[in-house]
Amino acid sequence: MFQTARSILNRDPAAHSLLEVVMTYPGIRALFWYRIAHFLVLRRFFIIANLLSQHATHTTGITISPQARIGKRLFIDHGVGVVIGATAIIEDDVTILHGVTLGARKSITDARHPHIKQGAFIGANAQILGHITVGAFSKIGAGSVVLVDVPDKTTAVGNPARIVEQK
């Protein structure tokens, strides 16, 4: 968790100290409870895991399913309204702003939620729905509704999201 806190301190110009990040950032607290709940899910203690998840949602305003797979140094900035579904996969060094949903759509497979690759940035109130992939180091604009895959190093905006820049 301290690796995550140091990463946030480096990425957020509003952060003044490591202590401030650890004590006051709801994303850190939500990830703390998620890590414990995920540990419990892996050991098949589903009820306790879900109770911890509900506690975290109540105290932080961030809903993270204990079944989701989250890598290192995730930065959930502000956080209120973030929802991360059960089959979502988030790789390392991703930034998610407030109001983002990594949600499901109708699916015939077990994987119903998005896969967010390393270094992606997801703007405020973006909705990423279904079993799709957001490529490494891609950016999703605020308020976008993403229903199809986004390639690596690409910017997508709008409803429905469209590619506006590729590097």
Side-chain angles (χ1 to χ4, degrees):
M1 292 305 299
F2 285 106
Q3 186 180 43
T4 300
R6 279 191 293 276
S7 171
I8 291 169
L9 185 60
N10 291 333
R11 287 193 269 175
D12 187 0
H16 300 101
S17 70
L18 191 61
L19 183 62
E20 176 188 21
V21 171
V22 171
M23 299 299 288
T24 67
Y25 277 51
I28 284 282
R29 290 196 313 276
L31 285 169
F32 171 80
W33 290 113
Y34 156 78
R35 300 278 183 213
I36 295 170
H38 185 71
F39 174 85
L40 292 168
V41 159
L42 294 176
R43 282 142 190 86
R44 305 186 61 76
F45 293 104
F46 299 111
I47 293 174
I48 297 169
N50 284 311
L51 287 171
L52 283 177
S53 179
Q54 290 299 309
H55 168 73
T57 298
H58 180 73
T59 60
T60 65
I62 300 168
T63 301
I64 305 174
S65 172
Q67 291 88 3
R69 295 188 348 220
I70 298 176
K72 298 174 187 170
R73 298 175 299 276
L74 172 62
F75 178 20
I76 301 173
D77 196 8
H78 299 286
V80 172
V82 169
V83 177
I84 300 173
T87 61
I89 299 170
I90 302 173
E91 294 183 4
D92 299 342
D93 301 308
V94 170
T95 300
I96 296 176
L97 300 186
H98 62 277
V100 168
T101 299
L102 303 181
R105 288 183 19 183
K106 185 172 85 171
S107 176
I108 56 173
T109 67
D110 287 341
R112 303 177 321 276
H113 298 91
H115 180 162
I116 311 299
K117 291 195 171 183
Q118 180 178 359
F121 179 93
I122 304 172
N125 298 306
Q127 309 298 301
I128 303 174
L129 305 174
H131 182 57
I132 61 173
T133 300
V134 173
F137 304 101
S138 290
K139 295 178 183 176
I140 306 300
S144 297
V145 178
V146 182
L147 303 173
V148 296
D149 290 345
V150 176
D152 292 351
K153 298 179 181 175
T154 300
T155 299
V157 298
N159 179 6
R162 64 195 180 288
I163 306 302
V164 294
E165 182 180 326
Q166 196 163 16
K167 295 180 183 176

